[in-house]
Amino acid sequence: MDFQKIKELDSEYLAKTYARYPVALVGGKNATLADSEGKEYIDFGAGIAVNIFGANDEAWKAAVIEQLGKIQHVSNYYYAEPQVRLAEMLCGRTGAKRVFFSNSGGEANECALKAARKYSYMKYGEGRSRIVSLKDSFHGRTLFTLTATGQDEFHRYFGPFVPGVSYAAPEMDDVIRAAGKNTCAVIIECVQGESGVNALTKPFVSELRRWCTEHDVLLICDEVQCGNGRTGTLYAYEQYGIVPDIMTTAKGLAGGLPIGACLFFERAENAFSAGDHGSTFGGNPVSCAAAVNVIGRLTNEFLLEVQGKAAYMRAKLKGFDGVKAVTGLGLMIGLELEQNSKAVAAACLEKGLLVLTAHERLRIVPPLTITKTEMDEGLSILREVLG
Ligand SMILES: *Cc1c(COP(=O)(O)O)cnc(C)c1O
């Protein structure tokens, strides 16, 4: 199908939820993609921080195909080896005690928020159910996670929202004000992705950790976007010198297949019992086999390379005309520009570079396997557009 036909059918049959760039991506290798017309692009987006080994990665493909050759789905009424292998790996690498698998980031967060309420209910009884989330956060599109998303623009049309959610600026005084007496959990992204790639400060996160422990409030780290090697460590919270009580992740975890994971650390380990939560597709064996490949390859050596690539790109970007600030952490890069970020992204696309935006910022979240040649090619297009 050529692009015009795809576009026509899309506008005729698909729900009108997406403002799309005028491109249909059909294939590629690593961070070099091709569209339906054969035009090539350097990929600085990896979907949205999803394809962490880029397109067509041989070892990842082999892991997926091997599992496809066995069985594609197993009901959670039965045991499944790919799930336990992945859960053991995730717990081994993080110190978490248990994992619940779902299919997306929103679902992973829904699970975390429900678990926090259950934890508090069992210990303190009804009413201690408040969730505090941060202003400018993004936690998903289900009604609970949308409520927990601290951006007014998401809070139109769909009310009434889930009661018992408050919003705070990333300052301890404001968290304490928002929390009141009946809070069971605070949910944060160490690096806020959707609202412009903003890293929280270390003093705030460590003070928050201390306060949460003191008040038996669960600290939930949403690592859906900033996790899985993206920031140069397996999970971003590691760079803050803290350990969460619950951590959620998704996007890059299975390298491009749908998965979500909610990790329970010691304090929250027994929040759920049989029947409390579930998912038909959660922990799909193909997704889990893909994620085993991903986590297995995010070794310390690989993560050092990510740090090196991040330092290289950040240094170059700082020197570009029209760049006012470079934000975020590792290969999760925000650019504050003099020009309109959406116009810049559109101009980059025209010249063969895929970049994302996040609010007013340009967002760069390339495959972690991006090569120096691909980085240089993409950076030179961006420099030309900005100049
Ligand atoms: C993308 C994202 C989500 C939602 O994930 P979905 O897979 O789209 O449901 C939640 N939290 C953060 C931080 C995200 O970036």
Side-chain angles (χ1 to χ4, degrees):
M1 233 182 253
D2 69 12
F3 178 67
Q4 275 317 315
K5 186 71 187 165
I6 296 169
K7 191 177 164 192
E8 260 170 52
L9 292 174
D10 185 293
S11 82
E12 191 170 348
Y13 291 113
L14 283 163
K16 298 177 179 179
T17 47
Y18 300 112
R20 300 194 200 272
Y21 288 107
V23 163
L25 297 168
V26 296
K29 188 76 192 167
N30 201 31
T32 308
L33 304 183
D35 72 11
S36 54
E37 316 303 284
K39 180 175 164 183
E40 288 203 338
Y41 301 85
I42 296 295
D43 182 16
F44 274 7
I48 306 176
V50 169
N51 296 335
I52 59 177
F53 297 153
N56 229 329
D57 178 87
E58 296 302 332
W60 179 88
K61 256 193 319 186
V64 169
I65 290 166
E66 190 192 342
Q67 181 56 43
L68 275 172
K70 295 177 184 166
I71 193 165
Q72 74 279 25
H73 166 80
V74 174
S75 162
N76 281 310
Y77 285 139
Y78 308 103
Y79 291 92
E81 184 181 328
Q83 280 189 14
V84 298
R85 286 184 62 196
L86 178 58
E88 184 184 30
M89 264 176 146
L90 286 170
C91 289
R93 294 286 296 273
T94 60
K97 299 291 186 192
R98 296 179 183 280
V99 185
F100 179 87
F101 290 119
S102 54
N103 312 286
S104 67
E107 281 177 279
N109 285 331
E110 185 82 21
C111 171
L113 298 173
K114 283 177 70 178
R117 282 192 168 171
K118 169 90 192 296
Y119 170 87
S120 190
Y121 186 99
M122 298 309 284
K123 212 162 161 182
Y124 302 99
E126 215 166 324
R128 192 178 175 277
S129 57
R130 184 160 296 282
I131 306 287
V132 173
S133 92
L134 296 185
K135 289 177 179 157
D136 293 327
S137 57
F138 182 85
H139 298 298
R141 300 283 192 161
T142 68
L143 204 51
F144 201 172
T145 60
L146 197 61
T147 308
T149 289
Q151 301 184 57
D152 291 340
E153 66 185 272
F154 288 97
H155 296 161
R156 293 172 300 195
Y157 317 129
F158 304 116
F161 288 91
V162 178
V165 178
S166 300
Y167 311 96
E171 297 154 14
M172 236 15 257
D173 288 353
D174 208 39
V175 169
I176 292 166
R177 171 203 61 78
K181 286 187 172 39
N182 291 314
T183 287
C184 63
V186 178
I187 182 167
I188 63 169
E189 298 152 85
C190 286
V191 188
Q192 296 183 328
E194 297 305 308
S195 61
V197 197
N198 288 305
L200 298 178
T201 68
K202 281 180 193 171
F204 168 68
V205 173
S206 63
E207 230 186 303
L208 178 64
R209 174 66 279 182
R210 219 173 309 126
W211 181 85
C212 283
T213 304
E214 206 176 293
H215 295 85
D216 198 15
V217 167
L218 298 181
L219 178 59
I220 304 171
C221 284
D222 174 346
E223 297 244 4
V224 170
Q225 190 164 162
C226 62
N228 309 304
R230 173 62 47 197
T231 66
T233 48
L234 187 58
Y235 292 101
Y237 72 76
E238 296 166 36
Q239 293 176 60
Y240 286 79
I242 61 136
V243 178
D245 299 306
I246 299 179
M247 186 201 81
T248 58
T249 190
K251 288 194 167 78
L253 177 58
L257 288 178
I259 194 169
C262 181
L263 277 63
F264 299 101
F265 291 74
E266 198 163 5
R267 201 141 57 111
E269 177 182 4
N270 297 312
F272 281 145
S273 356
D276 281 344
H277 198 50
S279 165
T280 297
F281 283 120
N284 172 271
V286 183
S287 296
C288 285
V292 164
N293 179 266
V294 168
I295 297 298
R297 287 163 64 191
L298 297 181
T299 57
N300 289 338
E301 195 185 355
F302 183 96
L303 293 169
L304 276 176
E305 277 174 33
V306 172
Q307 289 169 25
K309 290 174 192 183
Y312 178 76
M313 284 190 82
R314 285 169 177 278
K316 292 255 169 174
L317 289 163
K318 272 185 193 134
F320 283 11
D321 285 342
V323 172
K324 290 201 277 189
V326 182
T327 68
L329 215 56
L331 277 181
M332 186 167 173
I333 304 173
L335 292 186
E336 197 179 325
L337 301 175
E338 277 159 17
Q339 303 175 49
N340 176 283
S341 62
K342 292 208 163 48
V344 169
C348 286
L349 183 87
E350 189 72 31
K351 292 189 186 302
L353 173 66
L354 305 174
V355 279
L356 302 170
T357 60
H359 277 195
E360 305 310 314
R361 301 241 171 94
L362 211 65
R363 173 169 40 165
I364 298 177
V365 282
L368 305 182
T369 50
I370 191 168
T371 63
K372 175 147 188 310
T373 313
E374 288 168 331
M375 285 193 281
D376 286 341
E377 237 176 280
L379 287 168
S380 106
I381 293 172
L382 183 57
R383 168 175 248 161
E384 194 187 322
V385 167
L386 291 174

